[in-house]
Amino acid sequence: ITPALFERYPDAKSLAAANLSSLKLLINSCSFFNNKAQNLIKMAQALCQKHAGEVPLDENELKALAGVGVKTAHVVLIEALGANFMAVDTHVFRISKRLDLLTKAKVPEQADAELSELFKTDLNRLHQAMIIFGRYTCKAIKPHCEGCFLSEFCKEKTNKI
């Protein structure tokens, strides 16, 4: 989606002026594209009005933008600054539960706090490693448990390959 999106809307100003229907068509292959399209336009408008069209590199300012929560703010700061943040997506959450790293977390925000407290440093690297591991090895459906280097720690071994 992003190459076509960035070609059509190369900056916040052009995205802020986007036609909602056209934007929806452009991103309709992603989940929740109706809400995402609305939030993309609102976010771009806020960037133009409050930040001179530039993405702020402050967690609270990022979270104040439409459609931006903790995970997205952390991903932006990880990618832009190499910040020491965890960003809990579906892969990180699933792996953390399977490896019994979480005690009370029921939602990603709680998992973020627990993992950050548990590991403390190099969270950005851990985040990236867990995403790759979750995409290709510890998948939601048909995980590759056989030969997994963490299988002895997994509480949900399926031993499927």
Side-chain angles (χ1 to χ4, degrees):
I1 293 173
T2 53
L5 178 68
F6 292 153
E7 183 178 332
R8 180 88 183 264
Y9 307 106
D11 54 30
K13 184 177 179 183
S14 60
L15 185 55
N19 174 278
L20 180 60
S21 297
S22 297
L23 182 56
K24 285 180 182 181
L25 283 174
L26 192 61
I27 68 167
N28 71 1
S29 63
C30 72
S31 58
F32 309 111
F33 70 91
N34 286 312
N35 286 339
K36 286 180 182 173
Q38 292 173 351
N39 283 332
L40 281 168
I41 292 171
K42 288 177 186 175
M43 178 270 309
Q45 290 169 343
L47 288 180
C48 291
Q49 294 167 0
K50 299 176 183 175
H51 302 284
E54 297 296 320
V55 176
L57 297 178
D58 173 84
E59 183 178 6
N60 290 326
E61 288 182 19
L62 285 166
K63 290 189 299 186
L65 298 170
V68 178
V70 173
K71 180 189 83 171
T72 301
H74 285 184
V75 168
V76 168
L77 295 170
I78 287 168
E79 294 300 322
L81 305 174
N84 187 43
F85 282 118
M86 179 55 73
V88 177
D89 71 350
T90 185
H91 303 297
V92 173
F93 198 64
R94 178 178 63 254
I95 292 164
S96 298
K97 289 194 303 189
R98 285 181 177 170
L99 295 178
D100 209 19
L101 297 174
L102 304 175
T103 57
K104 299 175 186 166
K106 302 284 188 227
V107 296
E109 290 79 9
Q110 291 172 329
D112 185 308
E114 283 194 35
L115 292 169
S116 296
E117 179 61 28
L118 182 63
F119 291 99
K120 294 186 180 28
T121 61
D122 294 319
L123 297 173
N124 50 354
R125 292 171 135 180
L126 179 62
H127 153 79
Q128 292 290 347
M130 289 178 89
I131 288 173
I132 299 300
F133 183 64
R135 282 184 188 159
Y136 301 109
T137 303
C138 193
K139 301 186 291 185
I141 299 171
K142 296 185 181 178
H144 298 285
C145 299
E146 191 173 301
C148 174
F149 71 101
L150 294 174
S151 65
E152 68 183 282
F153 306 107
C154 183
K155 68 177 191 174
E156 291 187 36
K157 290 180 213 170
T158 62
N159 292 316
K160 294 179 183 175
I161 196 158

